[in-house]
Amino acid sequence: MDRSSAGISDKCARSDKAYNQPNDHAASSRHGRYRNATVKQWDNPPRATPWRNEFYRSSGTRSSQYLQYRSINSAQDFNALIKQEVIDGLVSKSNRFGHHYDGKSHSQYASSIKIYTSAAKRPLNQAEQGQLLRLLQNFTATRGWSWRSLSTTLHSLTSAGVFTIHKPMDGRIKLTQATLLSTLLDAIVFKCHQKPEARDIDAQGIANLLWAMAKLVSNGQEWTSGLKEALAALLPHVNAQKDQFIPQHIVNLLWAMAKLVDNGQERTPELKEAVAALFPPVNALKFHFNAQGIANLLWAMAKLVDNGKEQTPEFKETVVALLPHVNIQKAHFKPQEITNLLWAMAKLVDNGQERTPELKKAVSALLPQVNVQTANFKPQEIVNLLWAMAKLVDNGQERTPELEEAVAALLPYVNAQKANFKPQGITNLLWAIAKLVDNGQEQTPEFNEAVAVLFPFVNAKKDQFNAQGIANLLWAMAKLVDREHDKTGRI
């Protein structure tokens, strides 16, 4: 099976519900789409608790408060962001205070952009991004900026889609984007290398920055030397601050490191150490993770293992500590979280995780939720769910009534969504269907119909399959034909 095919797709990563992308801009809206993912923001604890699971909130310029608290008119609010006098004011303040300027007004402006996209429940579209970047040619971070200003600005601009790569993209816009990102990364590297008494690095900023870096590469940014250097400078601070991270920070950090590795980051000693430093806090704080956090943690751990992470005793202990909470939280999982969890458990088992009673119970708790939520799954989620169930069965999962019911509930949606599957999705679906049949799945009319509706799309998209996809497709078709021969006695 193509490894990339088994993961949560980039589409999943971009949906407004992006559950596997914690705290995306959609989070602030509480309700959104599925980006592959509509991210739902974690509910903040009561004010009395010290755990305020929030990203930095600026004290708020008048413009950011105005955007945040009134009923928004999208065109009017965006026009308020791109007034020349706003940028001129920022440049003037930076020039006036010089090296003593801490970047606070710039970070507040960046927060206003994020507030706009949060209210609109989407990132900047390409036209908006272009208009904004034409204005940001003199929006420059310096090494004198505070840690909070740097982390807030990079996180806010990334979350809003300012650094997303579009194709095609105007050369001048791309240059402005690259220059702005480069100045931010340079200042972050400088701050990370200062002596402890001269820097103001904190846990929340570390979590924000690593999340932003992971989102950057997910949104098409290249692994430039500046991005690599910033990541290398930041990773040792994860270990140094490990006792200061609250539950949401831990979730965001593990998600970010899994996403970075999945997008080509080498598993350096520093990255391995940062990942390992977070396992004890996960175990210690296991009762404080909500449904989204549990789904993101298990997805991240499965993705790390899928990309070569060794299942150390600490890793296994963390998985075991989280699994009972799948059952506890089962009624609270959203469609993508159900998808991510079943994918994660299938991938963990496929990479050597024992099918312990806790794991079996977690799978059993999720399968009825598939049936309840069938109408709410997006095309990529249908693919990932059927792949996960096929992989679990292939690794010894019993074909219980709950599993068979979940499979049966999804099959009609293969037909309903047939025009929306990408080539890799078609490959994974046919592989999953063939694997289920190979493990005793009855070829019901619904099953046969799901197979039949996919074949025309194989032909229509034949030029878009890669070598692994072609191999998986041929295996699946051969296995389906072979099973049909076994059933009919025909040769």
Side-chain angles (χ1 to χ4, degrees):
M1 184 72 186
D2 184 4
R3 279 194 351 169
S4 63
S5 68
I8 302 306
S9 76
D10 287 339
K11 178 182 175 191
C12 279
R14 283 189 299 271
S15 134
D16 295 4
K17 293 179 186 176
Y19 297 112
N20 62 328
Q21 294 182 306
N23 302 310
D24 199 353
H25 60 82
S28 300
S29 66
R30 295 286 179 195
H31 297 287
R33 288 173 298 134
Y34 216 94
R35 181 205 121 234
N36 185 352
T38 336
V39 172
K40 303 286 188 184
Q41 185 172 3
W42 287 40
D43 291 331
N44 290 329
R47 291 185 181 274
T49 177
W51 287 354
R52 301 282 301 166
N53 294 351
E54 303 169 350
F55 284 102
Y56 288 138
R57 299 183 184 278
S58 67
S59 58
T61 60
R62 181 178 181 276
S63 62
S64 72
Q65 291 174 337
Y66 175 72
L67 287 173
Q68 186 172 15
Y69 293 116
R70 75 176 188 84
S71 176
I72 118 168
N73 174 312
S74 293
Q76 182 178 341
D77 286 342
F78 183 71
N79 287 335
L81 290 172
I82 58 172
K83 288 182 177 179
Q84 184 64 52
E85 55 264 34
V86 174
I87 300 300
D88 290 345
L90 293 174
V91 173
S92 173
K93 180 168 287 190
S94 181
N95 290 338
R96 185 164 68 251
F97 291 101
H99 294 300
H100 297 291
Y101 176 57
D102 65 1
K104 182 178 180 180
S105 295
H106 281 67
S107 70
Q108 289 173 339
Y109 177 72
S111 295
S112 294
I113 300 170
K114 183 187 172 188
I115 289 166
Y116 164 74
T117 57
S118 296
K121 300 180 182 179
R122 60 167 178 79
L124 297 172
N125 59 39
Q126 191 170 357
E128 291 170 335
Q129 182 199 52
Q131 287 179 272
L132 189 64
L133 281 167
R134 286 186 180 91
L135 203 64
L136 296 183
Q137 293 179 6
N138 295 315
F139 187 104
T140 304
T142 70
R143 292 180 172 185
W145 280 24
S146 70
W147 175 257
R148 176 169 291 198
S149 293
L150 287 170
S151 57
T152 299
T153 300
L154 183 59
H155 172 263
S156 295
L157 295 182
T158 301
S159 180
V162 172
F163 295 121
T164 299
I165 297 295
H166 295 286
K167 295 181 181 179
M169 195 169 185
D170 181 273
R172 289 171 297 177
I173 297 300
K174 191 172 183 178
L175 178 61
T176 300
Q177 185 187 66
T179 302
L180 173 57
L181 180 57
S182 178
T183 65
L184 284 164
L185 294 174
D186 176 74
I188 289 165
V189 171
F190 177 78
K191 182 71 72 174
C192 286
H193 288 156
Q194 281 185 299
K195 293 181 179 180
E197 60 272 17
R199 63 191 182 215
D200 50 353
I201 293 172
D202 71 347
Q204 186 166 350
I206 294 167
N208 286 0
L209 286 172
L210 274 167
W211 181 92
M213 291 178 190
K215 192 72 189 291
L216 284 170
V217 295
S218 286
N219 285 342
Q221 282 291 338
E222 297 179 7
W223 278 102
T224 62
S225 57
L227 183 55
K228 291 179 180 178
E229 186 179 1
L231 179 60
L234 192 59
L235 284 172
H237 294 283
V238 174
N239 196 15
Q241 295 274 356
K242 61 186 176 186
D243 295 331
Q244 306 303 316
F245 294 121
I246 63 175
Q248 188 174 349
H249 296 161
I250 296 167
V251 175
N252 291 359
L253 284 164
L254 278 171
W255 177 87
M257 287 186 273
K259 181 60 75 171
L260 287 164
V261 170
D262 201 42
N263 279 286
Q265 167 64 30
E266 295 180 24
R267 293 182 56 252
T268 61
E270 293 78 11
L271 186 135
K272 292 178 182 178
E273 185 177 354
V275 170
L278 293 172
F279 291 148
V282 171
N283 203 0
L285 296 171
K286 59 192 173 189
F287 293 106
H288 299 283
F289 297 111
N290 64 7
Q292 183 181 336
I294 293 164
N296 289 342
L297 284 169
L298 283 167
W299 179 88
M301 297 178 78
K303 182 58 73 173
L304 286 166
V305 166
D306 198 38
N307 282 296
K309 164 69 181 165
E310 181 187 355
Q311 293 199 42
T312 60
E314 293 78 12
F315 181 97
K316 292 179 180 179
E317 185 179 354
T318 303
V319 171
V320 169
L322 288 173
L323 285 173
H325 296 275
V326 174
N327 197 11
I328 293 169
Q329 297 275 3
K330 61 186 176 185
H332 302 291
F333 293 120
K334 307 295 188 301
Q336 189 175 356
E337 294 163 357
I338 295 168
T339 304
N340 290 4
L341 282 166
L342 279 169
W343 178 89
M345 286 185 271
K347 183 55 70 173
L348 286 167
V349 169
D350 201 42
N351 281 285
Q353 173 73 30
E354 294 181 25
R355 293 185 60 254
T356 60
E358 292 80 8
L359 188 136
K360 292 178 183 178
K361 188 179 293 186
V363 171
S364 297
L366 288 171
L367 289 173
Q369 303 303 317
V370 174
N371 197 15
V372 171
Q373 299 269 14
T374 44
N376 300 318
F377 292 111
K378 303 295 186 290
Q380 184 63 49
E381 295 157 10
I382 294 168
V383 173
N384 289 345
L385 282 168
L386 283 169
W387 180 90
M389 288 188 272
K391 181 58 71 173
L392 284 165
V393 168
D394 199 42
N395 281 300
Q397 168 71 30
E398 295 179 24
R399 291 179 52 252
T400 60
E402 291 79 11
L403 186 137
E404 293 186 352
E405 187 175 352
V407 171
L410 288 172
L411 288 173
Y413 291 91
V414 174
N415 193 8
Q417 298 279 3
K418 60 189 175 187
N420 299 317
F421 294 120
K422 293 181 170 60
Q424 185 173 317
I426 294 168
T427 301
N428 291 359
L429 281 169
L430 282 170
W431 180 90
I433 290 169
K435 182 58 69 174
L436 286 166
V437 168
D438 195 39
N439 282 289
Q441 171 71 37
E442 182 184 354
Q443 291 178 262
T444 61
E446 293 79 10
F447 211 91
N448 291 333
E449 184 178 2
V451 173
V453 300
L454 290 173
F455 284 151
F457 291 93
V458 174
N459 195 23
K461 299 186 178 185
K462 58 181 181 289
D463 296 330
Q464 300 176 46
F465 295 106
N466 59 20
Q468 184 66 56
I470 293 168
N472 288 346
L473 282 170
L474 288 173
W475 178 88
M477 289 188 276
K479 183 58 66 176
L480 289 166
V481 169
D482 187 46
R483 284 294 166 182
E484 183 65 18
H485 284 175
D486 288 347
K487 187 173 74 174
T488 61
R490 290 183 280 113
I491 296 177

